[in-house]
Amino acid sequence: MTEATTRPVTLPLTRERPFDPPDALGLWRDEDPIRPLAYPDGHQGWLVTGYAAARAILADPRFSTRIELLHTPLPQRAMQFRNTLRRPGFFLRLDPPDHTRYRRLLAGQFTVRRMKGLEPRIEEITRDHLDAMERAGAPTDLVQAFALPIPSLVICELLGVPYADREKFQRDSAVLLSLNSSVEQIEAAMKDLLDYLDDLVRRKRAEPDDDLVSGLATETDLTDEELAGVTTLLLIAGHETTANMLGLGTFALLRNPEQLAAVRDNPEAVDHAVEELLRYLTVIHIGPLRAALEDVEIDGRLIRAGESVTISVAAANRDPERFPEPDQLDVARPASGHLTFGHGIHQCLGQQLARTEMRIAYPALLRRFPGLRLAVPAEEIPMRTDMAIYGVHRLPVTW
Amino acid sequence: MKIIADSGRCIGAGMCVLALGEVFDQSEEDGTVVLLDPDPPASMAGAVRRAVQLCPSGALSLAEGDRADGESDT
Ligand code: HEM
Ligand code: SF4
């Protein structure tokens, strides 16, 4: 092993091109898929960019997601991790058996069959937003008119959160996901959101409705505090992620007209196309993050107990050893097995919902507006390199 | 080919159902895997192997003597 490959690097966040992960990640992956990473708080941990190693670590119970064990690769957040965010109900940051308890209570609500049952309503919501776009006329910002409101409304209805309150939770979750937010800003946004959802949980307990939060309130032993935490996690994870896939995915298709045509014209192509867009675009800008609970050897590298690992699923999804010609968007390729929803026990709870939304929304948009195109030069589209979930801030389109 | 499902490890991600709905289903209650056909025909071997491989939690495995490697059934 050469000196150069063992020297710790810092995590790159800016991107050279809108649809590709930072170039450095790809170079490092091909050289050394597990390499030392210097964390801003002085910790020395690891950066994983290879597919096989990423998948192995995400599936390995010797790695923890507990916030109090993690160092963050993000300079602005260095102080935040240790003492905050460890909140009841945030099971993304719990290990078994605590994690298992929540996952079991929720997984039945997100099964493939349940999501199939939501299709008619998602189709209707999509239609309503397309109608509104048509009425308002071009040009429009696709993020505000389509990509953000559809998943927001869907998750609100599912959870039983009033959609009328969206400005509040969209604002708070934007602060939580911004890489530039200060610790104080994050704390304030989290408190605001938790207070709001705590209130909601109390109302649902008093007057249960036909929604997920009411169901959890009446049929499980979750406390108000735990339930508010669960709802916060579902609300944030449930709208920003899919929203960014819809915005960025449309941008990518507009730059690849042949692939766009396949998604628009061939219903059979849509399922594959969604998997490939998930792989190619990997909206998870940073992470997932893990910490070793004991010494673990992976690929000849010794990761010691207590060391943090930043797994770049964006780089792993471009690993040529797993996906041939990885930097090519090819909506016909078999892309399943990508790590965009993670892997192991924390693999995305809402993935079947996200798939259902995307499978409906992309073709519906492209069929309604066959002449859809960017309303500004592609270079002017503001990219979300400053957010934990990558995507476009705005996507001005016309038709 | 015999499929073994460890519902204790299953996290209800639904990858198996998505990959092969004829063989895998999920419980309405906690989303964990339900085998509709624990012993699917050889014609499905490829799809079964893919589903097992996709499972994120390691809940699925194939029994000894399966034909996952394409060898004849002896
Ligand atoms: C394209 C859209 C989405 C992407 C790319 C995505 C990605 C991810 C990833 C990578 C993880 C694992 C993080 C880790 O291992 O540290 C995760 C977990 C999670 N996601 Fe998603 N997600 C999406 C949509 C959704 C939706 C719609 C929901 C709504 C219910 C959701 C809810 C969750 C929850 C609750 C977890 C935590 C699961 C656990 O810890 O067991 N996600 N997601
Ligand atoms: S893929 Fe694995 S974890 Fe997901 S439902 Fe099937 S058995 Fe369970």
Side-chain angles (χ1 to χ4, degrees), chain A residues 55 103-104 112-113 344 352, chain B residues 7 10-11 13 25 28 53 56:
Chain A
R55 197 171 190 271
R103 188 89 193 196
R104 281 286 147 80
V112 172
R113 192 178 319 113
Q352 309 309 348
Chain B
S7 58
C10 171
I11 51 147
D25 198 359
E28 281 289 327
Q53 168 73 16

Side-chain angles (χ1 to χ4, degrees), chain A residues 55 59 99 103-105 107-108 110-114 275 336-337 343-348 351-352 355 359, chain B residues 7-15 17-18 25-32 50 52-57:
Chain A
R55 197 171 190 271
H99 169 262
R103 188 89 193 196
R104 281 286 147 80
L105 288 176
F110 290 91
T111 60
V112 172
R113 192 178 319 113
R114 279 288 179 106
E275 291 313 305
S336 61
H343 188 66
I345 60 166
H346 294 280
Q347 195 187 54
C348 184
Q351 59 180 298
Q352 309 309 348
R355 284 191 174 94
R359 286 169 175 184
Chain B
S7 58
R9 297 185 74 160
C10 171
I11 51 147
M15 291 306 293
V17 184
L18 202 65
D25 198 359
Q26 284 169 281
S27 116
E28 281 289 327
E29 194 156 312
D30 61 6
T32 54
R50 255 194 311 283
V52 169
Q53 168 73 16
L54 280 174
C55 172
S57 68

Side-chain angles (χ1 to χ4, degrees), chain A residues 44 82 98 104 157 296 389 391:
Chain A
Q44 186 173 315
R82 306 246 123 185
D98 303 329
R104 281 286 147 80
E157 289 192 359
V296 181
I389 308 293

